Amino acid sequence: MDSDCDVGPALTVSHENEEKPSATVNETSSIVKEDNENKIERSTEEYFHSYENLDVHRLMLKDKVRTNAYRNIIYGSKEYFKGKVVLDVGAGSGILSLFCAKAGAQKVFAVEASNLALLLPEVVEKNEFSHIIEVLHSKVEDIKLEDKVDIIVSEWMGFYLLHESMLDSVLFARDNFLKPETGILFPSAAQIYASPCSVDELWKTQIGFWQEKQFDFDLSPISVAAKSQLKPEVYMVAPDGLISEPQLLWELDLKTINSNSLVRFSDRRFFTVDVEEDIEMHGVCVWFICKFPLLPGSTIDEDELQLSTAPWDMETHWKQTVILFPNPVAIESGDILGWQFIMEKESLESSSRSYKLHLEMLDDSEAHPVPCDCGSARCEIVKHYVSSQAQPGLGDQ
């Protein structure tokens, strides 16, 4: 979940080498305190306080793609939900708890840390589910339940999946409250994708504006400062703005991943540009897809058990996240591009929800990972050799 459409403070950009644009995004809290422990605690408090703003919940409820995905999948799994005990982590307006109750859940614990929880009992009563839904005004880390639950449902996702997300809280709930053998998570998996992109209008808005004359005066020196203040942009990228096949960066299995695995993500790869004509690359587009489990008795087709924020799918409030380069890079079809993409938590504290993003575009001449799927003749030969060594008998052919 996200409290607004600002992905974070400034993006610090290094562009000494124009051939290798790189960017470091510091998703730090706006609260600055000399004591780190107090900073983390206050940052967490402000995070939950932001969810008392009803504009946040209006935005999410008006996101029909997001809300209908949960509703359709929960209602389509009514046979499974019947008689089950559900834990809703970050209940917000209570909509997911209401879906679960209507689907036949025996008991729903709606956990909400913000003061919006004070209104939820009345919402529950208004919809005649007081006998099923119990509101817990607390962080999930502080609640106590007598028995394990059958299902955890949560809309925990942030921009590019992890920005200010509640995934750590969901994993805490999984480890402490979900039945270990039979428990189900909604969603159950998530994938982060990326592709270099051409977003001329966005780049002109953020940087090009300062390079054009304004009221007949040259303000171009300001463009240097504008480049230093770049930050990730929440933006709807046209499908034809992607200039390579989507690259699957990371896949998260929520049943098995642990919080330590969320501290740092790193991806180094090379791939081939696929465009019909020469084009300028302005940055990298990042999006995510969440997967839901196919349960016994479900009436939902397997290909509908997902919530996608991809550029070619219907727009959501997450849209996509674009990391802009300070300068466009001219490319043509067949070019091989590479990147080193790192997402790292700003703090090792479990309550930290801030990530630092570092993206460096790599020259094709630099070392490729082995195996590499970039499609170059060199890497195809290496990949064939590695494959032949792994399969007895093939190396002698």
Side-chain angles (χ1 to χ4, degrees):
M1 303 197 307
D2 276 289
S3 58
D4 53 45
C5 289
D6 181 6
V7 181
L11 164 66
T12 304
V13 182
S14 171
H15 52 95
E16 291 85 354
N17 184 345
E18 303 296 353
E19 298 302 314
K20 291 175 57 182
S22 64
T24 299
V25 186
N26 203 355
E27 301 286 5
T28 56
S29 168
S30 60
I31 303 169
V32 179
K33 292 294 178 183
E34 60 278 8
D35 182 82
N36 189 58
E37 184 176 337
N38 288 339
K39 176 183 173 183
I40 295 293
E41 184 176 344
R42 288 176 180 271
S43 179
T44 300
E45 288 176 1
E46 180 153 306
Y47 170 79
F48 288 119
H49 180 69
S50 71
Y51 282 92
E52 295 170 16
N53 182 345
L54 296 183
D55 289 342
V56 174
H57 301 281
R58 183 186 301 112
L59 174 69
M60 291 189 286
L61 288 170
K62 289 178 69 175
D63 184 343
K64 302 300 183 185
V65 175
R66 166 237 188 222
T67 309
N68 279 332
Y70 276 90
R71 182 187 65 173
N72 294 343
I73 294 169
I74 290 171
Y75 286 0
S77 305
K78 283 183 177 180
E79 285 300 313
Y80 191 85
F81 271 80
K82 282 181 181 177
K84 296 296 193 299
V85 178
V86 180
L87 177 61
D88 180 1
V89 179
S93 65
I95 193 66
L96 299 189
S97 293
L98 293 169
F99 289 159
C100 294
K102 189 171 181 178
Q106 174 188 334
K107 181 74 175 181
V108 179
F109 294 103
V111 181
E112 175 57 38
S114 79
N115 284 333
L116 188 60
L118 301 175
L119 299 176
L120 291 189
E122 187 175 348
V123 171
V124 171
E125 182 179 2
K126 205 76 171 173
N127 290 279
E128 301 181 348
F129 284 120
S130 297
H131 60 298
I132 296 176
I133 300 175
E134 179 180 345
V135 178
L136 302 178
H137 185 189
S138 173
K139 294 187 294 184
V140 73
E141 290 84 356
D142 296 334
I143 69 170
K144 296 186 184 302
L145 298 179
E146 292 184 3
D147 300 305
K148 302 284 188 181
V149 303
D150 301 293
I151 303 169
I152 290 177
V153 62
S154 181
E155 195 273 78
W156 52 265
M157 300 82 75
F159 298 114
Y160 63 82
L161 189 70
L162 295 175
H163 173 71
E164 290 194 349
S165 82
M166 297 192 307
L167 184 51
D168 279 298
S169 295
V170 171
L171 298 187
F172 178 91
R174 178 201 67 189
D175 294 341
N176 290 274
F177 305 122
L178 187 65
K179 292 181 179 178
E181 299 298 327
T182 60
I184 298 295
L185 289 134
F186 266 60
S188 56
Q191 301 166 325
I192 300 177
Y193 288 85
S195 170
C197 60
S198 178
V199 283
D200 188 58
E201 287 301 316
L202 178 61
W203 192 88
K204 285 180 179 177
T205 299
Q206 300 300 322
I207 302 298
F209 172 84
W210 296 107
Q211 297 177 342
E212 299 172 352
K213 285 191 174 183
Q214 304 296 330
F215 301 96
D216 297 324
F217 293 100
D218 186 345
L219 307 182
S220 59
I222 297 177
S223 68
V224 177
K227 292 175 182 180
S228 71
Q229 295 177 15
L230 281 171
K231 62 182 178 60
E233 297 291 337
V234 177
Y235 188 76
M236 197 68 196
V237 178
D240 61 5
L242 304 182
I243 57 179
S244 82
E245 288 296 316
Q247 307 294 314
L248 175 58
L249 303 185
W250 303 291
E251 189 159 15
L252 285 60
D253 182 346
L254 269 60
K255 197 66 184 285
T256 60
I257 195 170
N258 58 54
S259 289
N260 290 336
S261 302
L262 303 180
V263 172
R264 189 177 190 271
F265 297 85
S266 179
D267 180 81
R268 181 186 176 94
R269 72 176 63 204
F270 290 82
F271 44 88
T272 303
V273 171
D274 181 18
V275 291
E276 294 182 357
E277 56 186 18
D278 295 355
I279 199 169
E280 286 189 326
M281 176 176 64
H282 299 100
V284 171
C285 172
V286 185
W287 67 93
F288 67 86
I289 296 175
C290 285
K291 305 281 189 177
F292 293 79
L294 179 62
L295 300 173
S298 174
T299 60
I300 297 290
D301 292 336
E302 191 167 359
D303 59 357
E304 296 177 356
L305 291 169
Q306 69 173 28
L307 171 56
S308 173
T309 66
W312 53 85
D313 286 317
M314 292 182 64
E315 181 176 341
T316 70
H317 77 281
W318 292 287
K319 300 181 182 179
Q320 292 86 46
T321 299
V322 177
I323 302 173
L324 285 173
F325 299 147
N327 297 290
V329 179
I331 58 172
E332 58 186 48
S333 191
D335 282 353
I336 293 176
L337 300 177
W339 63 40
Q340 179 76 38
F341 193 3
I342 297 172
M343 297 200 311
E344 190 167 20
K345 275 199 173 184
E346 184 66 21
S347 167
L348 296 180
E349 297 288 338
S350 60
S351 57
S352 174
R353 303 176 192 276
S354 302
Y355 277 83
K356 178 186 290 185
L357 309 186
H358 177 75
L359 173 68
E360 180 184 2
M361 300 305 293
L362 304 175
D363 293 331
D364 181 33
S365 60
E366 298 190 48
H368 289 216
V370 177
C372 176
D373 295 319
C374 71
S376 68
R378 176 185 60 194
C379 288
E380 288 301 304
I381 291 172
V382 171
K383 188 161 62 172
H384 176 75
Y385 175 78
V386 171
S387 177
S388 68
Q389 295 302 303
Q391 300 180 48
L394 290 183
D396 299 330
Q397 292 180 4

